[in-house]
Amino acid sequence: MSATARSTLFEKLWRQHLVKELPGGVALIAIDRVFLHERTGSIALKSLREAGRPILDPSRVFCTMDHIVDTLPGRGDETRMPGGKAFIVETREAARAAGIHLFDVRDADQGIVHVISPELGIVLPGTTIVCPDSHTCTQGAMGAFAWGIGSTEAEHALATGCLRLSKPKTMRVRFEGRLAPGVTAKDLSLLMISRFGSAGGNGFALEYAGSAVAALDIEARLTLCNMATEFSAVTGFIAPDDKTFAYLKGRRFVPRGAEWERAVAAWRDLRTDEGAVFDAEHVIDVGDLAPMISWGTSPQHAISISEPVPMQAASGASAEAYARAIEYMDVKPGAPLKGLKIDAAFVGSCTNSRLSDLRRAAALLKGQHVAPGVRAICVPGSTSVKRHAEAEGLDKIFKNAGFEWRESGCSMCFFAGGESFGPHERVVSSTNRNFESRQGPETRTHIASPETVVASAIAGQIADARELAS
Amino acid sequence: MQAFNRLTAVTAPLIRANIDTDAIIPSREMKTVSKTGLADGLFAGWRYTHIGGREPNPEFVLNQAAYAGTQALLGGDNFGCGSSREHAVWALAEYGIRAIIAPSFAPIFHSNCVRNGVLPVKLPAVDIAAIAAWVADDPQQNRVSFDLPAQVVRANDQTYHFDLASEPKEMLLEGLDAIDLTQKHAAAIRAFHQADKFARPWIYDIGGP
Ligand code: SF4
């Protein structure tokens, strides 16, 4: 193979979808799948219809109700968010009129877009998939080019089947070594972002690789790719392998029979060639990684559970933002986070609400109870995850331990004006964003793995899950 | 879409790193399925004294008389990070913001700006600090000039060149709608799909009941 023939996985994905090079370094890239949800997708459908523009191929467009929909048991179209019902009703009408696939409030396949897309085999290796939602990069774990766009770009993808893109630079992050027990994909994300900063991936298409990534199961890979957007990367993805194919086989929208065989043969080529060159490359040794948790209001404000809160802003980071974060979170420079009293615990979101997340959390919760005064909530990522968890009796473990057990959706991952955590409440959360007021007005969010969330819920204070397990 | 050519504007400094789209327009301020009615919610968490209220916080720069009529912002690194919500740009544009200068922009936010007639200008942090210091002397007098055809910003007798790829430049200058631009290539798109249906039939035969 000549040097020029060596390609990164991203270059292969790019070439396969290149419709036309346009002047000015822009390319028309074919979009295989568009996903919408009731929060941002409704606007795209509405504007298209108002402009009299048809959807090029409605059979490749999918829509779910996840962001605004209530997650309380027995829910319907009513939501706690003022005006929320209108989003649901208007999205339903627009989706029906457009003839796209809709996973409605009571559908057995309803769930958070980035959970159900892999679960239903909508995202496949080698696909381009977009959604007006920044965590679309989650789906790159299936070996896809998946990224979040704005609503106007969604209209463009729907109407033309393409997007106009400048080619991103390529980055590879290799996680090498064996993860210690109790250390997870979430900790890998937080480590990377804390080390290189929340703008560390800006402008890059990011391939995750290395022995620690190869060892992750598919659900953990989805967790890892989920936070590529917190790193400001255009997308994050992982080359598909036998685990990916085994995970997908037989799922609802996956090819069958001879077409499946043909697809898998093609997907086997979706990997970076030996010797291919990246614009940037990092190697991170993870053999001695401990569970990570955020102390501040940016995902880059993360430390290992046994470390103290930093005494000053990281080099290159703004001192003002550091001071503001310390004040907002009411944490002390130099003091450990461990032992800080918490008000609430949240297991959910497109980062960590899949069956394996709930199983690991339940294993720690079994026979335990949430500390008095702590509000604890578990929201399965999809209706199917919820069904499976209930079939295994996980719901009983959560409920017996004092957790609320919800219907699937984004729920309190973000505050949309309805349900929220209270002002100044300290929440340990398995979500991906710890921005100011993300989970409620002036709520203080610490993001961490489900293990850390559950251990902290039991202790009533920020805790190291490894101590609970032993 | 509103075209952008040249603009001389009252310019307000909001130099914080990682100003995310939740801060630009909090979720709770996006009340209807609409691209309008958002200006009131712009920077709501900072602009008003309490959450959900409308009492102006006098410390917030856009509430100060010296910055009345602000049409441009000076920002920090990674401006517009976080949620992909285009509402952030719709809110900025509706408020009257036509240009933002920052050392770097989050990618989705950057392209949302271009699609809504808001000029994103990338300049080094030191230049932004210098502009901010000059502006602060007399914000109403010391207006910043944006010249998109020449790709320069002028402030305090200094000229700062900025980079912008030719496509976003064109779209901003002409106020072009990207869908119309792309539909000129409908034949190429059809040809791609025809060939691709043979190469990757599973993309197009959507299974599932
Ligand atoms: S779970 Fe949270 S981060 Fe994920 S899509 Fe929903 S709101 Fe966004």
Side-chain angles (χ1 to χ4, degrees):
Chain A
M1 195 186 290
S2 74
T4 51
R6 291 174 188 154
S7 305
T8 67
L9 170 52
F10 186 75
E11 279 151 357
K12 293 182 187 183
L13 293 171
W14 183 267
R15 275 203 303 268
Q16 257 182 17
H17 293 87
L18 180 64
V19 174
K20 196 173 180 183
E21 303 262 14
L22 304 176
V26 175
L28 267 188
I29 294 295
I31 303 302
D32 298 330
R33 307 264 182 273
V34 180
F35 227 125
L36 303 170
H37 57 64
E38 86 280 29
R39 181 153 189 77
T40 51
S42 42
I43 293 198
L45 290 174
K46 190 174 156 185
S47 308
L48 265 190
R49 193 161 51 167
E50 282 168 6
R53 285 171 163 146
I55 295 178
L56 187 74
D57 184 356
S59 77
R60 292 190 282 128
V61 182
F62 302 81
C63 181
T64 187
M65 305 281 196
D66 56 359
H67 274 65
I68 290 172
V69 67
D70 225 285
T71 54
L72 291 166
R75 69 174 171 204
D77 291 355
E78 297 295 335
T79 79
R80 301 276 190 93
M81 176 196 157
K85 184 178 177 182
F87 281 84
I88 292 173
V89 172
E90 287 183 38
T91 300
R92 178 180 298 132
E93 280 166 7
R96 285 192 185 145
I100 63 177
H101 305 266
L102 173 66
F103 307 109
D104 209 336
V105 179
R106 293 178 192 275
D107 196 298
D109 284 331
Q110 176 274 347
I112 305 174
V113 44
H114 317 305
V115 177
I116 64 174
S117 180
E119 196 174 83
L120 297 171
I122 291 167
V123 57
L124 298 172
T127 48
T128 44
I129 179 164
V130 293
C131 173
D133 190 284
S134 53
H135 290 98
T136 308
C137 53
T138 311
Q139 305 181 39
M142 308 307 292
F145 178 18
W147 73 106
I149 55 176
S151 299
T152 306
E153 284 193 287
E155 288 175 41
H156 186 286
L158 290 166
T160 68
C162 297
L163 281 175
R164 309 168 78 87
L165 293 183
S166 315
K167 193 173 177 183
K169 293 175 286 179
T170 57
M171 176 187 283
R172 178 160 66 182
V173 173
R174 281 166 39 207
F175 291 102
E176 299 290 356
R178 262 176 87 106
L179 290 181
V183 181
T184 67
K186 178 66 155 285
D187 305 307
L188 295 180
S189 284
L190 289 173
L191 173 69
M192 174 185 78
I193 299 165
S194 65
R195 188 167 296 180
F196 301 108
S198 54
N202 199 330
F204 290 98
L206 163 59
E207 179 172 352
Y208 295 101
S211 54
V213 173
L216 294 177
D217 64 32
I218 295 302
E219 297 193 347
R221 291 181 190 179
L222 289 159
T223 298
L224 179 61
C225 291
N226 177 265
M227 291 184 68
T229 188
E230 273 63 51
F231 195 47
S232 298
V234 176
T235 183
F237 53 92
I238 297 168
D241 59 11
D242 285 330
K243 284 187 195 176
T244 322
F245 311 144
Y247 172 92
L248 282 171
K249 194 164 187 194
R251 291 188 186 260
R252 180 168 163 192
F253 292 99
V254 167
R256 294 173 198 283
E259 202 164 271
W260 165 259
E261 299 301 332
R262 226 187 118 190
V264 171
W267 294 341
R268 287 196 188 281
D269 188 46
L270 294 173
R271 56 195 153 69
T272 290
D273 296 329
E274 196 84 37
V277 178
F278 291 82
D279 296 306
E281 182 148 36
H282 301 296
V283 182
I284 305 180
D285 184 46
V286 297
D288 52 7
L289 180 62
M292 300 282 294
I293 182 165
S294 68
W295 61 264
T297 52
S298 154
Q300 77 186 14
H301 296 155
I303 51 179
S304 114
I305 187 85
S306 40
E307 259 177 291
V309 174
M311 296 295 287
Q312 61 197 40
S315 77
S318 118
E320 195 206 330
Y322 164 83
R324 201 182 152 85
I326 292 278
E327 193 198 322
Y328 181 91
M329 293 298 292
D330 191 28
V331 293
K332 277 199 198 61
L337 288 177
K338 221 165 84 175
L340 268 188
K341 197 183 147 308
I342 65 165
D343 302 292
F346 183 82
V347 175
S349 89
C350 55
T351 323
N352 278 123
S353 63
R354 298 178 181 81
L355 192 57
S356 57
D357 296 313
L358 303 195
R359 280 182 183 149
R360 297 196 319 275
L364 292 173
L365 269 183
K366 203 165 187 174
Q368 303 271 10
H369 202 278
V370 166
V374 173
R375 180 174 187 205
I377 301 172
C378 176
V379 188
S382 72
T383 300
S384 155
V385 167
K386 178 170 184 266
R387 233 179 6 252
H388 282 95
E390 288 174 353
E392 293 179 13
L394 304 185
D395 58 324
K396 293 207 182 62
I397 297 176
F398 275 98
K399 284 192 266 191
N400 288 342
F403 265 78
E404 292 175 39
W405 179 255
R406 295 287 189 103
E407 297 289 338
S408 125
C410 296
S411 192
M412 283 152 79
C413 169
F414 81 120
F415 173 50
E419 266 194 293
S420 74
F421 295 105
H424 308 303
E425 282 190 3
R426 191 176 300 287
V427 187
V428 184
S429 179
S430 75
T431 52
N432 46 41
R433 289 201 172 128
N434 53 344
F435 299 154
E436 288 182 18
S437 301
R438 168 77 178 180
Q439 291 191 292
E442 291 169 62
T443 297
R444 298 173 174 139
T445 298
H446 296 271
I447 48 178
S449 66
E451 284 87 337
T452 303
V453 174
V454 161
S456 305
I458 295 167
Q461 49 183 304
I462 293 178
D464 185 337
R466 296 169 304 176
E467 289 162 14
L468 182 73
S470 59
Chain B
M1 187 186 101
Q2 196 178 1
F4 190 106
N5 202 286
R6 291 186 186 84
L7 172 78
T8 298
V10 175
T11 300
L14 201 60
I15 306 183
R16 298 176 185 171
N18 302 313
I19 292 183
D20 60 81
T21 52
D22 275 279
I24 299 172
I25 180 110
S27 271
R28 59 179 183 277
E29 298 287 349
M30 297 155 47
K31 292 175 185 137
T32 62
V33 183
S34 172
K35 298 180 176 182
T36 57
L38 296 162
D40 255 11
L42 180 71
F43 295 121
W46 297 338
R47 192 165 144 207
Y48 305 118
T49 51
H50 62 275
I51 299 267
R54 285 292 182 260
E55 177 139 351
N57 168 9
E59 283 177 18
F60 186 63
V61 64
L62 294 180
N63 291 332
Q64 295 164 6
Y67 290 96
T70 290
Q71 284 187 292
L73 295 177
L74 296 165
D77 243 328
N78 205 21
F79 198 99
C81 62
S83 153
S84 63
R85 68 186 63 154
E86 196 158 331
H87 304 71
V89 178
W90 295 332
L92 285 162
E94 190 178 296
Y95 181 88
I97 303 297
R98 302 292 327 276
I100 302 167
I101 309 181
S104 64
F105 292 88
I108 302 173
F109 181 83
H110 190 275
S111 88
N112 285 340
C113 281
V114 170
R115 275 161 181 65
N116 290 282
V118 175
L119 174 67
V121 174
K122 238 193 269 185
L123 287 184
V126 283
D127 293 342
I128 295 175
I131 297 172
W134 173 72
V135 162
D137 273 349
D138 187 348
Q140 292 294 329
Q141 279 306 316
N142 296 352
R143 299 183 180 209
V144 178
S145 294
F146 298 83
D147 183 338
L148 178 55
Q151 287 183 226
V152 295
V153 167
R154 292 188 192 88
N156 194 19
D157 293 329
Q158 300 278 327
T159 300
Y160 304 93
H161 175 85
F162 63 88
D163 289 328
L164 188 68
S166 60
E167 161 137 336
K169 181 175 176 180
E170 204 92 327
M171 286 177 62
L172 281 164
L173 281 173
E174 310 282 333
L176 289 177
D177 179 320
I179 295 181
D180 291 337
L181 280 183
T182 296
Q183 273 169 347
K184 291 185 184 151
H185 305 287
I189 297 170
R190 260 195 311 276
F192 175 90
H193 283 142
Q194 258 159 23
D196 198 37
K197 272 176 194 160
F198 284 101
R200 302 185 309 149
W202 57 88
I203 297 299
Y204 303 88
D205 306 339
I206 300 280

